[in-house]
Structures are given as structure tokens and as C-alpha cells.
Amino acid sequence: MTAQTYWAEHARLDTGVEPGVVIETGADGRIAAVRRGAAAPPPGAVALRGITLPGFANAHSHAFHRALRGATQAGEGTFWTWREVMYRVADHLTPDNYFALARAAYAEMALAGITSVGEFHYVHHLAGGARYDNPNAMGEALIAAAAEAGIRITLLDTCYLSSGFGAEPDKHQRRFSDGTAERWAERVSALKGDGNTRIGAAIHSVRAVPAEQLGTVAAWAQEREAPLHVHLSEQTAENDACVEAHGFTPTALLSHHGVLGPRTTAVHATHLTPGDIRLLGHSGTGVCMCPTTERDLADGIGPARALQEEGSPLSLGSDSHAVIDLLEEARAMEMDERLHSRTRGHWTAVQLLRAASADGHAALGWDEAGRIEPGALADFTAVALDSVRTAGSPPALAAETAVFAANGADVRDTVVGGRHIVRDGTHQLVAHVPAALAEAIAAVRG
């Protein structure tokens, strides 16, 4: 990696939107210097037109769900009927075709300004449950895919043991299960991080990990100071079943077993009681909202504003990849809250961008990302201000324009660790991303 100088026509810094910002990156992949007030690019600098923002963090992804786009939008159904279609795609995954699909999906993310992804990974074994010769073959395929697509990854290796509150995994779920949380911990401990990769943990849900084994997963993450994520209260049926089985809501059950805390992120958190919201907020547990998936699956609108007011930092994810667009996720969180409350202006554009960047990176264990300042990781993205969606707004309102008008198609440049991964809308590492997606999806749809 070599040092590089970038010149941003406009950049969102901690002082606001600034014109003519020079960003010097070092050989270590971090920002070496930031200078304001440069009317033109210095000699040798790469010009970034539009507004340059910290790179986006996609805090919740299931890469293979990218193959479902379009297929699950036809006809009627519920989350549970959607899940059956998802299982059929999961049945076709191998390390090779999963690598190809994830590489293409992660390249699509880079094109949308995403510089880090949290991959909630639970397809571990062969169909039927037998282990690969390399028990982490699937996880390592995802790590390699992110590296080739040029984005960072936090592999959230997921413990998934039950089809529901102690029941044995069904025929589709056997390849997800390690049998016990102890065997899960033994396997995931062999995974290694690197400069592009961090290893975290995930509890699929309270229905998929027996209560007496929740603490094993939490302890593994705590010992390593690793991120811990969990699907939480996405469906009312899960809440009802948890109360029937344990006498607690899912949030209370997680609290009882030591799962909640500042390094934990609850995903969705859609159907919560006031007590649940207090438990999450007062413990500092983060919440990842996935609005485009939550509305696509008719899950409901989560209490994002109430959670933040109680102390939960918010992040954003594209989850099932109905779309891959963190600007849309940020906008949707505000718009959904408006529909629910019938009032406007719950978050400013800057606050929404923070959820899409700094707080998302923190949820994935990349605390040094999400800011354009010396010492931070040199991860940033430029959004056009001259497209049909963004033209006409003054530069002072560039952040508002990006959040409330732009979309992923307006991303022109993405820089990760100082490397120019997307240049003028073209991915520099993956040739013809649409063709790569089409080929990879055809291979797993069966």
C-alpha cells in the first residue's frame, strides 16, 4: 500500500461541510493529514467530486440473501414463507459458489459507498450437517470474498443450534448447527483476523440457541473483546414462544444470561416492551435497524427513537439485500419514524450519517473508522451533487441532500485503507459487477 493524496470538492468534517479538503493517506492505510481551504487539487492528488463522507458500515448482512432479490417479491406471504425460499437457496451453497456470490455482493456494496460489512454467518457445514474437511471453509470463503471486493469484513460467526426453543434443527438447518455452543466456540476459535478482517460472534436468536448455552457464546466474545450480535424480537411469534418457554421476553432472557452490553448489537429489535427498551438502553446495547428488509418482510417498525433516547447507539444494515443502499436505510429510519409518530425531524442528516458510518463501524469492532480526521482509517466515499436527484442544492445542504435525495447510484468513489476501490462509479477490482452477480446468483438458485 502506498501513500496517496485526495482532494475533496466538499467534505463533511466535524466542523460541517467544508469546500476544498485535502486528505493525505499513509502507507499504513490511515489518514495522515486533513487540510481545509484548497481551491484546487494539489499536484498529483486524486479529485473526488461531490461530497466526501466517511465510508458506510453495513452492520448486518447475509450475503447469500442477495440471490433472493426479486424472487421473494412476487405474490403474498409472511416472514415465515419467505424463510422457506431462503432455505432453498442456502441448500445450494458451497464454499466456491458462496465465495463468488459474496464477492459480487460485496462489490455491489463498495459501489454503494460501503467500506465495512458485518456478515452474520451461519451456513457453516455441508447439507445434512457433516463438517467440511476445513470446518471454517465457508467463513474463510466470505473473508476472501471481502478482500477481493476491496471492503473490510467483520465475520460474525453465528451459533445456531435449534429450530426453536430446544427442538432439533430441521433438514435445512442441520448445516447451520455445531451441536453445542462449546463445539461452536471450538470451531470459531480457529478463525483468524487480519488487517482487513475482524472475527466476532453472533447468537442467531433466542429460539435458535438454548437458554443454558447463551452464556457460552457471550463469554467467548467477552474474553476476546469481540463484537456480539443477535437477532432480537423480529417477529411477535418469537416473543410469544419465548414467554411461553421461559417466562421472559427475549430481551429479558438475554439480559439474564449476560448477553447485553456495550459490545453487543441487537438486530431489528422490532417488537419490544417498554421494559425491553430500558434494558437495552441502560446496558449500552446497540441496535442495528434494517428498514428496507423490515418493510420488505412486513416485520413492522421498530422503536428506534425510543431506543436511542434510552441509550442504545443505532447502526444500519441491508440484511436480506432487497436493496443495498445505506443512504436508503438512513432515510428509511427517519421516514418510518415519521409514519409511526406523524411528526417530522427525529434525526438530522448528520445523525443519520453517523448511524451509517461511525456507529456502524463501532458495532463491528472498527472503532477507528467512520471519521475523516488524522489517525482514522482512510475509508471514505464521494456522493455526486450533480445527478438528477442531487442537482440544485447548495453545498451547505450537501449532507441533507445525500441522506434525503441521493441513493447508492450517486456514489462516485469509494476509498478503503487509502486504496481507490471505486473510481468514477467503476469498481477497480471486480470487472463488470452486474455480470458477476448474475452468474453467481444463477449458480445458487438451483
Side-chain angles (χ1 to χ4, degrees):
M1 192 177 299
T2 60
Q4 179 64 62
T5 299
Y6 294 90
W7 175 82
E9 184 178 23
H10 299 91
R12 170 67 204 184
L13 307 180
D14 58 1
T15 53
V17 175
E18 301 280 356
V21 176
V22 175
I23 306 169
E24 296 180 6
T25 69
D28 60 355
R30 292 178 180 263
I31 296 174
V34 177
R35 301 197 308 275
R36 299 165 174 81
V46 176
L48 304 176
R49 300 292 175 180
I51 181 170
T52 296
L53 304 167
F56 303 140
N58 189 350
H60 189 66
S61 162
H62 302 289
F64 76 92
H65 290 191
R66 177 60 182 83
L68 299 172
R69 188 181 297 176
T72 56
Q73 276 75 38
E76 300 177 351
T78 65
F79 168 86
W80 306 103
T81 56
W82 169 90
R83 191 175 70 159
E84 292 304 310
V85 180
M86 179 269 288
Y87 283 160
R88 290 198 291 272
V89 172
D91 287 344
H92 287 93
L93 295 175
T94 68
D96 288 342
N97 66 31
Y98 203 4
F99 164 80
L101 177 56
R103 176 177 176 266
Y106 295 157
E108 182 182 356
M109 292 184 196
L111 288 168
I114 292 164
T115 56
S116 296
V117 61
E119 184 59 41
F120 199 102
H121 165 56
Y122 55 82
V123 187
H124 302 306
H125 309 302
L126 288 155
R131 291 194 170 201
Y132 289 99
D133 291 339
N134 171 6
N136 285 309
M138 294 292 265
E140 290 176 4
L142 293 166
I143 291 169
E148 290 210 9
I151 69 172
R152 304 183 194 277
I153 186 171
T154 298
L155 187 73
L156 299 161
D157 195 288
T158 304
C159 188
Y160 193 135
L161 307 173
S162 170
S163 64
F165 298 99
E168 289 297 313
D170 69 20
K171 64 179 182 179
H172 301 293
Q173 298 163 340
R174 290 180 193 128
R175 70 181 311 189
F176 308 161
S177 176
D178 289 293
T180 67
E182 289 77 13
R183 291 190 67 195
W184 166 85
E186 179 183 4
R187 177 183 55 74
V188 73
S189 293
L191 285 163
K192 304 299 180 186
D194 55 38
N196 198 67
T197 307
R198 297 203 170 151
I199 306 300
I203 292 165
H204 180 273
S205 56
V206 294
R207 70 177 184 272
V209 178
E212 67 275 10
Q213 300 191 57
L214 293 169
T216 300
V217 184
W220 186 95
Q222 183 175 13
E223 288 166 6
R224 292 159 179 79
E225 297 186 346
L228 173 62
H229 288 217
V230 54
H231 288 138
L232 178 64
S233 292
E234 185 177 4
Q235 296 291 320
T236 55
E238 177 183 284
N239 289 355
D240 295 343
C242 186
V243 171
E244 183 177 352
H246 298 292
F248 295 110
T249 65
T251 301
L253 186 69
L254 293 175
S255 179
H256 183 72
H257 289 278
V259 175
L260 304 184
R263 282 193 299 275
T264 299
T265 297
V267 181
H268 301 302
T270 307
H271 303 285
L272 303 179
T273 68
D276 293 338
I277 294 170
R278 287 191 295 272
L279 280 172
L280 291 167
H282 294 183
S283 64
T285 301
V287 175
C288 179
M289 307 300 293
C290 304
T292 65
T293 291
E294 289 150 7
R295 68 192 184 195
D296 181 57
L297 299 182
D299 287 342
I301 299 172
R305 185 65 187 170
L307 284 159
Q308 189 171 63
E309 288 174 346
E310 287 289 350
S312 290
L314 301 178
S315 55
L316 297 164
S318 64
D319 191 4
S320 68
H321 311 316
V323 298
I324 292 176
D325 187 342
L326 264 287
L327 293 170
E328 173 61 24
E329 302 294 345
R331 175 165 56 246
M333 187 166 72
E334 167 67 21
M335 296 305 180
D336 285 354
E337 190 71 22
R338 292 182 186 187
L339 287 175
H340 177 70
S341 67
R342 292 182 289 173
T343 60
R344 302 172 72 241
H346 301 278
W347 294 276
T348 67
V350 170
Q351 289 171 325
L352 293 169
L353 287 171
R354 180 177 177 85
S357 56
D359 287 344
H361 289 293
L364 299 179
W366 297 98
D367 299 84
E368 64 273 51
R371 303 176 302 281
I372 300 177
E373 62 183 39
L377 290 172
D379 299 356
F380 40 90
T381 187
V383 177
L385 295 176
D386 59 357
S387 76
V388 294
R389 288 166 292 278
T390 61
S393 296
L397 295 177
E400 287 77 10
T401 301
V403 170
F404 291 106
N407 62 31
D410 295 312
V411 170
R412 291 291 177 262
D413 297 89
T414 302
V415 175
V416 182
R419 297 172 66 201
H420 208 165
I421 301 301
V422 174
R423 187 166 190 151
D424 195 24
T426 300
H427 203 290
Q428 303 298 293
L429 304 179
V430 178
H432 206 287
V433 176
L437 284 162
E439 182 178 355
I441 290 168
V444 300
R445 275 200 175 172

